[in-house]
Every structure is written in structure tokens, then in C-alpha cells.
Amino acid sequence: TLLGAIMFSELHRARTGWTDPDDFVPGAGRLQQGYEPGTLGFDPLGMKPKGAAELLAMQNKELNNGRLAMLAIAGMTAQELVTGTQAF
């Protein structure tokens, strides 16, 4: 069920943002005109900022949180390799 939900959401995203391969023109972009990655019109809680500066700040915070999470996982992996024991 989860895999099906992921599949349908990814298919929707691909059809929304990317040009159809049959309509592709060499030298042109592969994204739809006016499409901004990550903007699918789904914001049920209304958390997306209205201004461009606020949106950029939120995007930067999200990127920094993701980078911190990757560093944390790398540290946990290194700890497991050095000590030879599992963290969880």
C-alpha cells in the first residue's frame, strides 16, 4: 500500500513537472514552463511562505536540516565501523 502511494505521487510529480518525451525538443529544457521543483500546489496547512525572501529562507533551513541529518548518519556509521557494535 505504501509503495503504491509513493508510486502514484511520483508519477503525478513527473507528469506535472517534466515534458513528455514525445514532445521533447533538443536544446530546450526538460521541465515544464513555469514549473518550479517542489511546487506541486499541495499545501493543506498553508505553511508555504507568501514572499520570495521568506520562501528562500525556509528552503535554506530545510537544506541545512537535511545536511545535518546526513552528517549525523555518517557519524553513526563511522562509530559502528570503529567500535564494531551496532548503534541500534
Side-chain angles (χ1 to χ4, degrees), residues 8-44:
F8 285 119
S9 65
E10 287 297 319
L11 283 173
H12 171 68
R13 184 191 57 79
R15 288 185 177 166
T16 301
W18 296 89
T19 59
D20 190 351
D22 296 334
D23 299 335
F24 179 68
V25 177
R30 294 180 190 246
L31 289 177
Q32 296 277 2
Q33 290 293 330
Y35 172 74
E36 185 177 330
T39 304
L40 296 175
F42 181 75
D43 189 20

Side-chain angles (χ1 to χ4, degrees), residues 4-86:
I6 293 171
M7 180 185 73
F8 285 119
S9 65
E10 287 297 319
L11 283 173
H12 171 68
R13 184 191 57 79
R15 288 185 177 166
T16 301
W18 296 89
T19 59
D20 190 351
D22 296 334
D23 299 335
F24 179 68
V25 177
R30 294 180 190 246
L31 289 177
Q32 296 277 2
Q33 290 293 330
Y35 172 74
E36 185 177 330
T39 304
L40 296 175
F42 181 75
D43 189 20
L45 299 178
M47 296 179 68
K48 182 179 176 184
K50 304 297 182 212
E54 293 87 7
L55 179 60
L56 180 63
M58 180 180 265
Q59 288 173 334
N60 286 332
K61 289 176 188 176
E62 192 70 27
L63 283 173
N64 288 335
N65 286 336
R67 291 173 180 149
L68 182 62
M70 288 187 283
L71 283 173
I73 292 297
M76 291 170 59
T77 304
Q79 178 185 0
E80 286 184 358
L81 290 173
V82 169
T83 63
T85 59
Q86 288 186 339

